[in-house]
Amino acid sequence: MNGYGRLFVGILAAFVLSWVALILVPLNQVGNLMPLEDQVTGDMNPPALSGLAQRGSKVYAANGCASCHTQQIRSESGGADIARQWGTRQTVARDYLHQSNPNLGAMRLGPDLANLGADRPDLNTNSGPKKKYDAASLHQLFYAPKSVSGSSHPSYSFLYEKREIKGIPSGMGLSLPVGFETEEGKEVIPSEDAKALVAYLLSLNRTYALPEAPVKP
Amino acid sequence: MSDHSSNQSNENSKHQSMLPTWMYWFFAVLLVWGGAYLMRYSGGFSGEIYDESTVTYGPVKGGAAAVEDPKVLGARVFKANCAQCHQVTGLGVEGQYPPLAGSEFVLGSEAHVIRILLHGMVGPITVKGKPYNGNMAPWKDVLDDKKISQVLTYIRSDWGNNATPITPEMVAAVRKQEAARTASWTEKELEAAPNQLPK
Amino acid sequence: MNCSSDIQFEGCGEGNLDRSLQGPLSLLFLSATLWLVVSSFIAAIAFWQLKFPGFIDYQCAIQNPYFGWFFDLIHQGLNYGRAVAASKSILIYGWLVQGFLGVAIWLTGHLTQKSPCKAGSYFLLGAIALWNLGILVGVVGIFSGEASGFAGFDFPKYASAILFVAYAFIGLGIGMRFAMKRCTKSTPAEWYLLGAVFWFPWFFAVAYYFVFCKVVFGVMPALVHAWYIGGLEVLVLGSLAIAALYYWIPTLLGVALNRVHSAKGAFWFFAFLGAWTGVRHLVGGPIPAWMITSSVVAGVLLLIPAIMIANHQMVPLWSHWCKVKSNPVLWYLATGGISFVVWVSLEAFLSLRGVSAALRFSYFEMGVSAVLEYSFLSMVLFGSIYAILPKLTGKELPCCVTCCSKCQFWWGFCGIITYFTGTFCAGVFMGLGINFAPMAFVATKNLASPFFWLSVVGGAMVLFANLIFVKNVAATLLAACCNSNKEGCCS
């Protein structure tokens, strides 16, 4: 073997070592996790994801929501995530079991969304009563963020279609607050993508306890 | 790779050491720090430890153990197996399925209620003053000792019932004592059987 | 430097090395440069939306019945999330990877003294065209909403596949050239170069498999992605930049590297540690603690080879400061070489758990990646391209280009320092704010605001520097094409 042969073997070894340690071993440790049955309620945790939510996860990824939002709660010593009431415990691998893309994110220009489906702290005051999102309030945030008080959210109005009402209204139109209503005779309909995105967001709820991540009472 | 990489530089660097001395010291410090950090924050290389501040000197404990409340578990066994006849309320169905809430059998001898569960019950009985004449199939092949003990502990403690819990060991003992039995119990036979648990 | 004496010219003989590479590499450098500017503009559009979230919102344009659809399209394609993904991907694959591949191809030619024959040249040209096609397809994919959602690996599946195929041709070509080399004495530049050429497809293939083939759900794709980005940053782009520095510094200065017999040790440290550094980007994340911890340790220990390498490369620069002062190419290289150590230190600092509790997820991270992407990698790439262009075209750089390259350096240098200062301060304030739970989340934004503007100014300066660079590359290639000998346009 000449000098280049030895060099090549070394280069290969550097790669393989890291691949075994950081891909193969983790695959074994967290690659085949199963949902766990809750002792009290008998629910499976994390609950399975609906097909619509699974599709919404793609919409989330494709629109780069992760460039402003994370979906990971760090432990109490690892940051103020729990103190900010974004979650009740650290998120662990099992929480993401059903996600094809866990959308962990790396920037927090917006709040963490790991538990968007649970009770949320008020972003403007951080104390006071918690709110719970439903489909309508999320659609409003994405279609007309300016109508949400204190919000500087980017708009995703292209996920919605504004169209003439022919005959009777479809009943799927968004109801927007005063000052933001659509013109007479028109309604704003969420696209399939918008519905999927919202279903996905509402499915985000990691408030159940897991043996490896107990919820502190 | 077999030779020194730079011929020209060999001449003037012969008397140079590989690295300046301060670097050796600095690198040594880094290496020691690295080892210590790895020891402290690796969570014993366990796949179950996510919070790096978990101290894992000595044997690794994989997170917190799940709580196992027999009443809670028993409630699940009950809902899955018994509620269709005895109802979730434990009140049964008049004339068909006897109640468990307040039943003399449930609240009575531990040995008897275990026997009923293991081998089932048949023939006329009276529960809370009302007559029943049905047939309950044996559970000994469906539920193991643990599950039987859980469900019994549950029916003895819910709906206002308040009797001692049943442990898997008690069930195992009765199962052993009555190992030869195949037929279901009748009220008569039960009265004849010893109402103390086997020692 | 190498044993060129016992090397015979092979390949197709006639015509020199640079002539046969001129066509493919001109195309490559020109397109890389263009992608750099495209990426900067898209980044500017993205950044602007942070302060003016509605500025491309089509609701403002809906009153316009004729162009409403156009604004809608712009809004869809260039909203913050997609614009960030596109600009980052273009920067990495269009500019950095492509540019460094060009440097690698050129260095391979010169280190092995083998020129590709005519067919080889066309082959290379085709591969480069395919690579750029892949990027174009990928960018259109991102704009039309098919991004993968893994930052830095955002191109859709099909575009990534094209890139892989295009790379395979280029990588094979480089590998074969070295395999045919008679003399087996090798130099540090070659180790890093060969390492990068092999590591890139391996890392890429693993990432492709886990991200696109959907074999495993859950955190594995995210883990693999972090691991891949670490490999790309350190072992591929970092390696190529270090290879370039190992080659150019002694060549341009005409002196030997300092204490270079420790280079082999440094290389193996670098190779084995570098492959572990990626996972630290997930500090605090939902993967078992030991994976992150070992990656953090690897990242801190990466300081060992970084300091050794800087010692080989920077000491000669320091002791020949006069030569450095007179040659702008060396300005770029020196800045890049020093930034390498700065970047390794910053990343190591950021990955420490106490620090990342506050600074992770803040603007600070943007600043650190700008140090990597701009002041380390891009600076080395600028320097290398300015050094290669005259050899490629067979002519001195036109005088005005040399002039402008100095100008570009200062804009870029001051720009990146301003940008980094801005993001650093903004990041610290924002990070501490978010980490202080009693403070309302919305209020934390205002803390960072003044410094945010500083980074906007810095970003604009960098954008301007990049524009000068395109102009320079275009002017040089054009001058070579037109065969004009005009000189003396310095003013």
Side-chain angles (χ1 to χ4, degrees), chain B residues 33 37, chain C residues 280 283 291-301 351-352:
Chain B
W33 174 88
Y37 194 85
Chain C
R280 66 181 155 174
V283 170
M291 300 171 196
I292 298 168
T293 299
S294 40
S295 182
V296 169
V297 171
V300 173
L301 294 189
S351 69
L352 296 179

Side-chain angles (χ1 to χ4, degrees), chain C residues 27-37 94-95 98-99 132 385:
Chain C
L27 173 69
L28 187 147
F29 286 133
L30 193 65
S31 37
T33 316
L34 288 176
W35 284 126
L36 171 66
V37 184
W95 161 241
Q98 170 155 258
N132 283 295
I385 291 180

Side-chain angles (χ1 to χ4, degrees), chain C residues 69-212:
Chain C
W69 61 271
F70 177 73
F71 288 108
D72 189 14
L73 212 64
I74 297 277
H75 180 206
Q76 238 183 79
L78 285 174
N79 67 65
Y80 182 78
R82 291 191 198 176
V84 165
S87 83
K88 179 119 185 156
S89 301
I90 297 176
L91 185 74
I92 293 179
Y93 300 98
W95 161 241
L96 291 174
V97 174
Q98 170 155 258
F100 272 115
L101 275 182
V103 175
I105 293 169
W106 190 87
L107 281 182
T108 305
H110 279 257
L111 291 168
T112 62
Q113 290 296 319
K114 282 197 176 23
S115 55
C117 52
K118 220 176 192 109
S121 269
Y122 284 124
F123 201 62
L124 193 56
L125 207 64
I128 292 167
L130 190 62
W131 178 271
N132 283 295
L133 179 76
I135 292 171
L136 194 67
V137 170
V139 174
V140 173
I142 293 179
F143 284 156
S144 55
E146 303 199 5
S148 77
F150 291 89
F153 200 64
D154 259 312
F155 287 147
K157 184 175 185 177
Y158 43 87
S160 302
I162 300 181
L163 290 187
F164 191 77
V165 173
Y167 176 80
F169 290 131
I170 300 175
L172 270 180
I174 295 180
M176 268 156 57
R177 221 120 292 220
F178 274 100
M180 289 181 330
K181 187 177 164 188
R182 288 251 183 77
C183 158
T184 57
K185 273 183 194 163
S186 56
T187 62
E190 287 173 43
W191 313 333
Y192 287 92
L193 193 154
L194 274 177
V197 167
F198 287 114
W199 283 320
F200 180 58
W202 296 339
F203 275 101
F204 196 91
V206 176
Y208 185 93
Y209 181 69
F210 276 92
V211 166
F212 293 123

Side-chain angles (χ1 to χ4, degrees), chain A residues 2-4 6-15 17-19 21-27 29-32 54 58 61-68 70-75 77-81 83-84 86 90-94 96-112 122-126 143-146 150 152-162 183, chain C residues 49-50 53-54 57-59 62 72 75-76 79-82 84 142 145-150 154 178 181 183-187 190-191 194-195 198-199 202-203 206 210 214 216-224 227 267-268 271-272 275-277 279 282-288 290-291 294-295 353 356-358 360-363 365-366 430 433-445:
Chain A
N2 67 15
Y4 282 109
R6 244 176 291 160
L7 178 65
F8 178 78
V9 171
I11 288 171
L12 186 65
F15 173 80
L17 188 69
S18 131
W19 177 75
L22 292 176
I23 305 296
L24 218 53
V25 175
L27 197 57
Q29 285 190 344
V30 298
N32 321 308
Q54 197 69 265
K58 286 212 188 74
N63 284 299
C65 306
S67 58
C68 286
T70 55
Q71 282 187 33
Q72 43 179 318
I73 303 295
R74 299 175 294 179
S75 67
S77 57
D81 310 6
R84 276 198 175 273
W86 284 336
Q90 184 177 16
T91 46
V92 297
R94 205 186 300 276
Y96 300 85
L97 197 61
H98 301 301
Q99 321 259 334
S100 61
N101 177 356
N103 288 319
L104 296 183
M107 272 299 262
R108 274 192 186 155
L109 302 184
D112 188 277
D122 188 329
L123 293 172
N124 292 314
T125 59
N126 244 32
Y143 180 72
K146 292 197 185 78
S152 58
H153 208 266
S155 137
Y156 290 88
S157 50
F158 56 82
L159 294 176
Y160 298 82
E161 193 199 343
K162 191 188 266 189
E183 302 94 320
Chain C
Q49 288 176 67
L50 285 183
D57 184 349
Y58 99 109
Q59 275 183 310
I62 196 69
D72 189 14
H75 180 206
Q76 238 183 79
N79 67 65
Y80 182 78
R82 291 191 198 176
V84 165
I142 293 179
E146 303 199 5
S148 77
F150 291 89
D154 259 312
F178 274 100
K181 187 177 164 188
C183 158
T184 57
K185 273 183 194 163
S186 56
T187 62
E190 287 173 43
W191 313 333
L194 274 177
F198 287 114
W199 283 320
W202 296 339
F203 275 101
V206 176
F210 276 92
K214 303 282 180 226
V216 192
F217 276 35
V219 292
M220 271 320 278
L223 175 66
V224 174
W227 173 82
F267 175 72
W268 291 122
F272 279 86
W276 285 63
T277 53
V279 182
L282 294 178
V283 170
I287 60 168
W290 69 266
M291 300 171 196
S294 40
S295 182
R353 293 202 141 99
S356 74
R360 179 74 59 198
F361 306 139
S362 76
Y363 287 115
E365 274 199 285
M366 281 192 186
M430 172 185 170
I434 294 187
N435 213 32
F436 177 62
M439 182 169 217
F441 180 79
V442 173
T444 59
K445 277 194 167 178

